[in-house]
Amino acid sequence: MIVAENLRKEYSDDEVKTVALEGVSFNIEKGEFLAIMGPSGSGKSTLMHIMGFLDRPSSGVYKFENQGIEDLDDDQLAFVRNNKLGFIFQFFNLLPRTTVFENVRLPLAYTKISEEEKRQRVMKAIEAVGLSHRMKHLSNQLSGGEQQRVAIARAIVNDPSVIFADEPTGNLDSKSGQQIMEILQDLNEVGHTIILVTHEQYTAEMAKRIIKLKDGQIVSDERVADRKIAKNGLLK
């Protein structure tokens, strides 16, 4: 599904060059649950931005579903990003005085499907994160964990090929964080490819594979031997 070959990303500021990624290579198969770890400045956010079509590499090859990023113009990148990818962030980015239903519906605003199909998709996504009983509540009436669940529903309403989760538990208490990871594990079990960016080892160990970055390079790429499974807000 995803192929990265010798990815390099550098930034220039007043003729000073900063290398964020240097020679990063890996493959991701459909249905994987991958965690990307690394300290601040290791390049993990830069890598996620490239994989999520939010940025372009300075050099190297990045392919998504056999399509090279260098072959796509900005409009084509936006189409892939909106139709193939879902994003979950540390800060929920919800409209505060808008209902759960309308927040989840946002990605469907410019699609050509019927209003009834939009409604069905939204209800299915909200049900998937266990918030059907909160559908008509305003997002600012919800707890942090519930708001993140709304953000997940919004990310999956278009049935994306890949879900990118950037520090999705970073603003939550441990129990709410484990509930979010349980939802991500469940989404992975039904076929969604999940790419998680985190600095927390115990969160990364809920994935199936961990890539660790340091100074813009991969220092390890390993399967999780003793994977943690979240059920009912608890780890098993």
Side-chain angles (χ1 to χ4, degrees):
M1 171 173 276
I2 287 175
V3 176
E5 296 178 356
N6 202 29
L7 288 183
R8 180 180 175 86
K9 181 66 179 181
E10 61 181 42
Y11 300 95
S12 297
D13 183 18
D14 295 329
E15 299 184 354
V16 176
K17 289 185 178 181
T18 301
V19 178
L21 292 175
E22 189 168 11
V24 171
S25 299
F26 57 88
N27 295 340
I28 300 174
E29 301 294 334
K30 180 176 175 58
E32 284 206 66
F33 192 154
L34 169 71
I36 300 173
M37 290 193 70
S40 178
S42 62
K44 59 185 186 295
S45 292
T46 300
L47 180 57
M48 193 199 80
H49 289 162
I50 292 172
M51 288 194 292
F53 296 104
L54 298 168
D55 201 357
R56 295 177 183 266
S58 302
S59 62
V61 174
Y62 176 62
K63 292 182 178 181
F64 178 83
E65 295 182 341
N66 296 319
Q67 179 72 63
I69 193 172
E70 71 278 0
D71 299 328
L72 303 176
D73 61 28
D74 288 346
D75 288 340
Q76 291 170 318
L77 287 182
F79 178 84
V80 173
R81 191 166 55 241
N82 293 336
N83 290 276
K84 296 278 191 175
L85 310 179
F87 294 90
I88 305 160
F89 298 100
Q90 179 176 353
F91 301 100
F92 319 125
N93 298 328
L94 302 180
L95 299 178
R97 288 178 293 278
T98 306
T99 65
V100 168
F101 184 95
E102 290 301 325
N103 268 286
V104 175
R105 186 182 181 278
L106 279 174
L108 302 177
Y110 299 106
T111 59
K112 296 179 180 180
I113 61 177
S114 69
E115 287 301 317
E116 177 58 22
E117 185 171 349
K118 288 179 183 179
R119 187 181 73 85
Q120 292 292 340
R121 286 194 189 186
V122 172
M123 292 176 64
K124 181 180 178 182
I126 293 173
E127 182 180 355
V129 299
L131 284 180
S132 296
H133 63 296
R134 305 286 261 168
M135 195 177 304
K136 295 181 180 179
H137 284 70
L138 303 181
S139 63
N140 59 1
Q141 296 174 324
L142 306 180
S143 68
E146 289 174 328
Q147 290 185 56
Q148 189 62 295
R149 284 196 261 168
V150 176
I152 293 174
R154 184 182 57 194
I156 65 174
V157 74
N158 261 334
D159 194 25
S161 300
V162 180
I163 298 169
F164 291 94
D166 188 2
E167 301 283 3
T169 63
N171 269 348
L172 304 176
D173 61 75
S174 59
K175 183 177 180 180
S176 296
Q178 288 172 16
Q179 290 172 339
I180 294 305
M181 291 306 300
E182 180 178 348
I183 292 171
L184 292 179
Q185 288 181 332
D186 289 344
L187 289 170
N188 179 241
E189 289 303 310
V190 297
H192 289 284
T193 304
I194 311 288
I195 299 175
L196 167 73
V197 173
T198 183
H199 68 278
E200 299 168 331
Q201 181 69 32
Y202 75 91
T203 300
E205 289 174 354
M206 296 187 212
K208 296 176 180 177
R209 173 184 170 196
I210 300 175
I211 288 179
K212 292 185 178 180
L213 295 176
K214 183 178 181 181
D215 298 330
Q217 297 179 311
I218 293 176
V219 294
S220 68
D221 181 352
E222 299 176 342
R223 299 287 170 183
V224 178
D226 188 18
R227 187 186 185 209
K228 295 180 173 63
I229 304 296
K231 287 295 179 187
N232 301 319
L234 301 172
L235 290 182
K236 296 174 67 177

